[in-house]
Amino acid sequence: ISEQPDAARLLMVQHCRLPEPLQATYPVPRFPAVHAPDKDAVLTIAAWLKKRGVIRADLSYEDLVNVGFIP
């Protein structure tokens, strides 16, 4: 979408219910490149969940994030 925004315009018009006057000019959003979540943020959230009893085990970043899905 970010590389060819006009190619996505038709889908956006069809599925986002854009009013007729905006369909040709409404900007197609740009999306950042795919990346793994920040390690410190993931571990902070896991610690918060454990402290509240949502999860019981100590989980590593590698337990929670599979970077194999990121190109």
Side-chain angles (χ1 to χ4, degrees):
I1 294 172
S2 293
E3 290 178 13
Q4 297 180 359
D6 286 329
R9 180 171 301 284
L10 179 60
L11 287 173
M12 190 172 79
V13 167
Q14 290 174 340
H15 297 285
C16 296
R17 299 175 150 191
L18 287 175
E20 179 87 27
L22 297 177
Q23 291 179 359
T25 59
Y26 192 81
V28 176
R30 302 260 180 207
F31 296 95
V34 176
H35 65 281
D38 178 69
K39 184 174 183 174
D40 290 336
V42 169
L43 294 178
T44 299
I45 293 165
W48 183 87
L49 290 168
K50 185 174 181 199
K51 181 178 178 181
R52 283 154 182 79
V54 177
I55 58 176
R56 294 184 186 152
D58 286 321
L59 300 171
S60 70
Y61 180 78
E62 292 74 22
D63 291 331
L64 297 166
V65 177
N66 184 343
V67 296
F69 291 103
I70 299 172

